[in-house]
Structures are given as structure tokens and as C-alpha cells.
Amino acid sequence: MANKPYLFKVRDLEPHEAEKMKVFTGEKTGFVRIGPKGYILSHRFLEIGADIYNMEIRPSDVFVVTYARSGTTWTQELVWLVANDLDYDTAKSVYLTERFPFLEFSMMVHPTMIQRYLENSHGDEKKQKEIKMITSHVVKQVEEAPSPRFIKTHLPLSLLSPKLLDAKVVYVARDPKDVAVSFYHLCRSMTFMGWTGDFKQFWELFISDLQYWSPFFEHLKEAWAMRHHPNLLFIFYEELQKDLPGVIKRVSAFMGKNYNDVEVATLCEHLNVKNFKKNPSINNEQFKELGLTTPDLEFIRKGKSGGWRDYFDEEMIARTDKWVEENLRDTDLRFPSAE
Ligand code: A3P
């Protein structure tokens, strides 16, 4: 850990938990639990955790914070365009990953995997440069970046700066059944995660809170508790689905912007999943060539709510419902229905 104060205890996973997590074949050192809630992160988080916690927050910063696969990318593009006076030219010509860097990304890619990607590039210097850039420490780049900064993270609020809400934060939550399916596909196609199990195995870990950035409900509840804070906007993926213009208006008001109906309709079109899928500044297709993902990666996949029904049998539905019910018992957080 860097030489900065860090409050949180770091624990190893229990041996039986670590064993189960070995199905993530891209993570070569394994996982740790951080802090009282035991958030699970890959081992390399220890290189950046203190820097992230102690990061200087600027009032002009804009964070999109989510549990993975909850609609982060969709919201990032929406937020970035709203904040930047609908500058489609820049949005289309600069990768979202550059406009809106992923704070803890360096923890995801193990040095062994970086070495493998470099070797597989067969001396192609351009590719090697890209691999090194993508896998370098984002935190340092963010620290030095000019304002306003736009930052994506899947870390829960408690692992970010205690001054986080001096900045603007948009938090997005999604029905966990859809998150599980979407996350499963992602973990299979990101070779640095390298999930090799089937969906049922993935889901077992997910509802045991044994996944990257889990426990899922603790993550959501931390943000839900802050939803009335003027600098935090809490939205649901299902709201984006049902009423995208309405969410654009809420985000605009939150960012101190005002757009007319035509501008909102144009933004809705830009954000439509069909256009998103083929938008090269969004869809991460550039990762394929570098070997960071399998050739069949669909970073922007179905883009629907309720797709989980094709993946869950009766027993899985019952157990997930019980897990959800138990976790919602002490909170008024409820997921809007998908219909
Ligand atoms: P599915 O895998 O269910 O399709 P994140 O950006 O947090 O990784 O979330 C990814 C999920 O959001 C994926 O869900 C993806 O397809 C969906 N998504 C991304 N862009 C979208 C859009 N413009 N409209 C609807 N869904 C979108």
C-alpha cells in the first residue's frame, strides 16, 4: 500500500472462498476483502486503495459510481454530454475510456496478463504502447488531469474519499438478476478476468457476495442512504429504460444545465442501444485486437431489462428472491419493476 493513511483492514478470503474464486483464471494473485463490509477486490487494489481513498476531490469533479454492469457506460455518456454542452464531435472522436477514466482499472489486469498481451502483440509497437497505457495506473493520471474531471468507478462510496460529495456523484443501480447475467458475460469475455465457469456457478458466487465489488447490497445501500444529498443523484437502470428523456432532464437539472425537447430527443437517439452498439468510442472494440477481450465481446450487449428469465430456473429464482428479500428487509430501497 502507498505511504498514505488507510483506515481499512485488509483480509484474505477464507480458503474455501479463495478456491471458488479461482474460476477467474485471469486473476493470478487472488482477491482480498477490504474494510468492515469486506468488499472483494483483486489483490492489486492494494497498490491503489490508499491513493484512491486520499484522492483530492475537486468541486468540479463528476463521478459515475455503480456496481458493475448496472448501466455505467450508458450513464457516463449521458452525463458527459449533458455536462459538455452536447459536444457530439468530441464524444464521437475520443474514447469514453479517455474522457471518463475507470479509476481502479489497473487492479483488474494482473502483471502476468499484461506480459502475455505484450508477448502476443509480436513486437507491434503501437499495440504495446496501447496495452501499457490502458493497464497503467489510472489514479495517477486522474490526479494530474485538468478540471473538470469525469471519473468512473465501481467502488462503493465508503472506499472513496470521505470528501467525495464535494463533487457531483451519479449512482446507478440495477435489478441484481440482470446484473448477474450481464456480469457473467463480461467476466467471460474479459481475458484478464477469464471466468471459465457456467452461469449457475457465477450466480452462486454472486448471491454469496463473492464477486468483484461485492457485497452487492451493501454497495447499493451506501449510496441509497445518501440519495437526498444535493450532490448525489441516485438513478436506476430500469428508469433509464422506461423514461430516458425524464432521466436526461433530471441529470441536466443536477448538472445545472437545461436542454430543450429537441436536444433531449437527439441525445436519446445517440444513447439508443442500437446506436451505442456500433459507436466505436463506446463499445470497447479496440480491446479485442489487443487480446484484452475475447473476439466475441459484446460490451454493449442486449440492453434490456428482464433478460435474466432466460438464465434462471425455478430454484435459482426462489433463492435469489430470498436473498433479495433478506437484504431489503432493513431498507426502503426497492427496484422499479422492469415492465
Ligand atoms: P446487458 O448485458 O444486460 O445487455 P455497464 O455499462 O455498467 O457495464 O453495464 C452494461 C449493461 O448496460 C449491459 O447490459 C449493456 O448492454 C447495458 N447498456 C449499455 N448501454 C446501453 C444503452 N445505451 N441502452 C441500454 N442498455 C445499455
Side-chain angles (χ1 to χ4, degrees), residues 69-74 174 182 237 271 273 276 301-303:
R69 301 308 275 174
S70 299
T72 328
T73 318
W74 199 5
R174 186 182 190 187
S182 184
Y237 179 90
L271 295 172
V273 69
F276 236 48
R301 210 178 54 91
K302 303 274 187 220

Side-chain angles (χ1 to χ4, degrees), residues 78-142:
L78 188 170
V79 165
W80 192 92
L81 279 161
V82 162
N84 287 284
D85 300 327
L86 308 177
D87 178 3
Y88 291 105
D89 288 342
T90 308
K92 284 176 190 162
S93 58
V94 182
Y95 287 133
L96 183 64
T97 46
E98 286 172 35
R99 288 180 280 129
F100 220 129
F102 181 5
L103 192 60
E104 68 272 25
F105 185 69
S106 66
M107 78 163 190
M108 309 289 299
V109 194
H110 194 276
T112 311
M113 296 305 287
I114 299 177
Q115 197 50 40
R116 186 177 299 175
Y117 300 140
L118 290 172
E119 279 163 19
N120 289 347
S121 68
H122 304 297
D124 183 329
E125 282 178 20
K126 187 170 165 267
K127 278 190 184 172
Q128 296 191 342
K129 211 171 135 196
E130 280 179 56
I131 292 164
K132 284 182 190 156
M133 198 193 65
I134 291 168
T135 56
S136 62
H137 278 198
V138 177
V139 187
K140 280 202 198 90
Q141 296 157 23
V142 166

Side-chain angles (χ1 to χ4, degrees), residues 164-225:
L164 179 72
L165 290 176
D166 287 357
K168 287 207 170 358
V169 176
V170 180
Y171 188 93
V172 194
R174 186 182 190 187
D175 183 317
K177 291 187 187 118
D178 282 327
V179 169
V181 172
S182 184
F183 202 12
Y184 160 70
H185 285 287
L186 183 87
C187 294
R188 272 170 36 140
S189 53
M190 295 287 168
T191 53
F192 47 85
M193 297 170 108
W195 175 264
T196 48
D198 60 16
F199 175 69
K200 195 160 185 183
Q201 210 176 342
F202 186 90
W203 161 85
E204 279 279 1
L205 293 193
F206 183 69
I207 63 161
S208 312
D209 288 325
L210 208 51
Q211 282 293 356
Y212 282 84
W213 301 285
S214 281
F216 175 83
F217 279 103
E218 293 301 331
H219 199 298
L220 268 66
K221 282 181 200 174
E222 284 191 29
W224 184 249

Side-chain angles (χ1 to χ4, degrees), residues 278-297:
K278 49 185 192 216
N279 181 339
S281 78
I282 302 291
N283 61 19
N284 288 333
E285 293 283 308
Q286 74 276 19
F287 282 9
K288 286 185 185 171
E289 252 192 77
L290 305 175
L292 271 76
T293 73
T294 56
D296 62 354
L297 165 80

Side-chain angles (χ1 to χ4, degrees), residues 227-239:
R227 70 193 180 283
H228 299 307
H229 190 290
N231 276 350
L232 186 133
L233 182 67
F234 193 109
I235 57 181
F236 288 97
Y237 179 90
E238 292 76 13
E239 292 176 318

Side-chain angles (χ1 to χ4, degrees), residues 4-23:
K4 291 192 178 166
Y6 199 55
L7 293 176
F8 302 113
K9 277 217 179 85
V10 178
R11 284 180 285 142
D12 288 332
L13 265 54
E14 298 296 327
H16 72 276
E17 294 174 334
E19 192 55 37
K20 287 182 185 162
M21 293 294 272
K22 282 191 180 154
V23 192

